[in-house]
Amino acid sequence: MLDVLRNIVLEVNAAESLDEVLTIIVSRVRMAMGTEVCSVYMRDRQEARYIFRATEGLNPDQVGKASLAPGEGLVGLVAEREEPVNLEDAERHPNFQLLPDIGEEPFHAFLGVPIIHQRMVLGVLVVQQKERRRFDESEEAFLVTMSAQLAGVIAHALVTGEVPDETNPQRDHMYSRISGVPGAPGVALGTAVVVSPVSDLYAVPRMIAEDRRAELRAFKRALSQVRIDIEAVAESLRDKLSPEDLALFDVYIGILDDSTIGGEVAALIKAGQWAQGALAQVMIEHIRHFEAMEHSYLRERAVDVKDLGERVLGYLQAEQREDQSFPDQTILVSEELTASMLGEIPRERLAGLVSVRGSSNSHVAILARAMGVPTVMGAVDLPYTRMRDMTLVVDGYNGNVHVNPTPPIQRRFQEIADQDVELNRDLEALRELPCVTQDDERLTLWVNTGLMADVARSLERGAEGVGLYRTEVTFLMRERFPSEEEQRQIYREQLEAFAPCPVTMRTLDVGGDKALPYFPIEEANPFLGWRGIRVTLDHPEILLAQVRAMLKANVGLGNLRIMLPMVSNIPELEEALALVYRSHRELEEEGIEATLPPIGVMVEVPSAVYQARALARRVDFLSVGSNDLTQYLLAVDRNNARVSDLYHAFHPAVLEALSQVAQGARAEGKQVSICGELAGNPMASVLLLAMGYDVLSMNATSLPRVKRAVRAITASDARRIWQEVRGLDSGAEVRERLDRFLSERDLRQIVPAPLD
Ligand code: PEP
Ligand code: MG
């Protein structure tokens, strides 16, 4: 049974449209259950009805025509109750309603199960039989399992269906919003340019050829280039191989002949596909075909076909890159954006970035933050292959992509973008002004950095120091661990750039979703696994070298602070401190005049919240990593767009935890800061000020917004509002109240709140 289920899901996953998905479902489910009828009714959002969308066994002419309202008929009942209805004789049920012309009169037995995705009933899956009998428990359980498994695929196909492809006249009108996770803050309106990874047949977007003849010519050129390449290889091996072996190259070249694969690709191009898409489609089909062969010799041919396909694709892509033109406001879209893709487009034309895969810690997101390019990562439901030339809004503040935004949505985002421009214009003036409230309370604003490129932007925006320098970025960009001297030089640059302002360097924080290419960590549960301080305590040689490099870099400057990530208990902290002290001692013994800098702990695990005071007692400062703390408190993966609606930054539990940490630090007379994304939210800054935070550390883009908010309020008002929201039950209520607070002070516009 499991195999049947798995095969259906695999097949459905490979389907390209909702219709294809539903056709496969009705056919395979009917076969697997041995029933006479299987149909799917899908909810139509606009009409609020369940439309008869696919069938095997009933009248296919009625597909798309017949429909039922919620609660109407047995299908409506299943949808309304959100549970299966299993009947021996459907007509005898009071809710039964015959749909004229669909031809269900002869069928008595009825089993309908709802298709539910993220609490929404998407449709109803029904099987029917002539024989009057109740479907048994195992059949019911099978259909329920099937439906639950298919719901995600159907939901994805639905979203895809809302985004029309190039053959659809609605293409430029249908609006949809796709969730991802914030990659880099800011908003951008622009035109999508889809880029694909080099020579990956499986990542080629399907697109319509703009000029079929030109595509055909490009394909022929690429083919002959590959032929020349292979002939050259054969020639170079002429002395080393027998004529028989050399003949293999002829076979190889023959695969690309006009009569075989080459001919199929050409036919698809003539039918309207662009060359890369046609090539990928044909090659993938042939690869699948060879892979399924029993004979191992033939199976091996799949590798040859793939290699040839990739070679031809490489030439096509090279030619495309040469001809590629980028619109003024380009939004680069890809299945997986890489740092090198950014290099292909002139900076002044790049407005935004969208990647279907990846997280806020991917290289490209790190670069985008440093460059100030609004970015959404992990937009898993985005049908990226259809995005060419579409108008998009990238909302890097909230992690959403708006496809074909309506005029009001465009206006709203334009306002936010204008605000950013205005703030940037005022930056000069704002930079010189202190971050003080109307009643003279001071809040220090620092920045988070990772690359040297962050430095200039940070200083431009009036940063008073660095609250989090992510040292792992240096480690990520290499092919091996950087040596102590390499690290020293890099750290020195950061320290010098900000001196005499403080720079808080975090010791290596890898694991979770931050993997070093040369130090793979494979775990079932990486966020609960070997990450942060756990890794470096198990590898003291890494920590010692890093701390030595930091201390040496600090000689003569004295603006270094060291911070330890992911600490979850006191012994861990004590061990880490012992290693830091040891490094310091060793340097002293070597005659280097290193000073012991302030040392702090990140509070990003719930246990550290409850031990905030005990931790604070042992160090010089606490800094809350609210990104991780929120994900651990709420058990919501910070990089999973499917649960991003549950990632409530203003959840009362998160706010209480933040307050408790501030109290713990203050009780010990220690500085307390926050360096997660929350710090860059102007709404949150009101509460953090009231809770007693001394420092907010954020990305440079958000700094002017936060400064403007703080300068416009009084600390006593902030305290009052904090006491008020403390009694509220949900994050949504807190947000609403804060929204009002800011509106009353004419500050509402500076909050890039999500648009629904
Ligand atoms: C955090 O967790 O809030 C934090 C600042 O660290 P990172 O985002 O690098 O995990
Ligand atoms: Mg963290």
Side-chain angles (χ1 to χ4, degrees), residues 361 468 470 506 509 514 531 565-566 602 604 625-629 631-632 638 675:
N361 284 316
L468 166 63
R470 291 182 161 103
R506 173 168 79 184
D509 184 25
K514 289 182 257 189
R531 62 173 304 209
M566 274 296 290
M602 285 190 79
E604 19 185 22
S626 58
N627 306 336
D628 276 316
L629 184 59
Q631 90 162 340
Y632 290 126
R638 63 193 256 195
C675 60

Side-chain angles (χ1 to χ4, degrees), residues 284 392 518 585:
I284 289 169
L392 302 183
Y518 46 88
R585 247 192 343 268

Side-chain angles (χ1 to χ4, degrees), residues 506-578:
R506 173 168 79 184
T507 62
L508 185 64
D509 184 25
V510 291
D513 66 334
K514 289 182 257 189
L516 298 176
Y518 46 88
F519 188 63
I521 302 174
E522 302 267 327
E523 290 175 317
N525 224 337
F527 277 112
L528 299 184
W530 205 43
R531 62 173 304 209
I533 198 79
R534 300 169 187 182
V535 176
T536 46
L537 284 180
D538 287 350
H539 277 282
E541 78 284 11
I542 298 176
L543 187 64
L544 287 167
Q546 188 174 34
V547 172
R548 284 172 56 96
M550 289 175 181
L551 297 180
K552 281 188 190 169
N554 190 36
V555 173
L557 291 172
N559 58 337
L560 168 72
R561 293 157 33 110
I562 292 181
M563 184 160 80
L564 306 164
M566 274 296 290
V567 171
S568 62
N569 58 50
I570 303 287
E572 238 170 18
L573 170 61
E574 285 178 338
E575 265 182 77
L577 286 175

Side-chain angles (χ1 to χ4, degrees), residues 649-664:
F650 294 104
H651 190 297
V654 175
L655 298 181
E656 276 312 320
L658 292 174
S659 171
Q660 201 165 321
V661 176
Q663 276 170 26

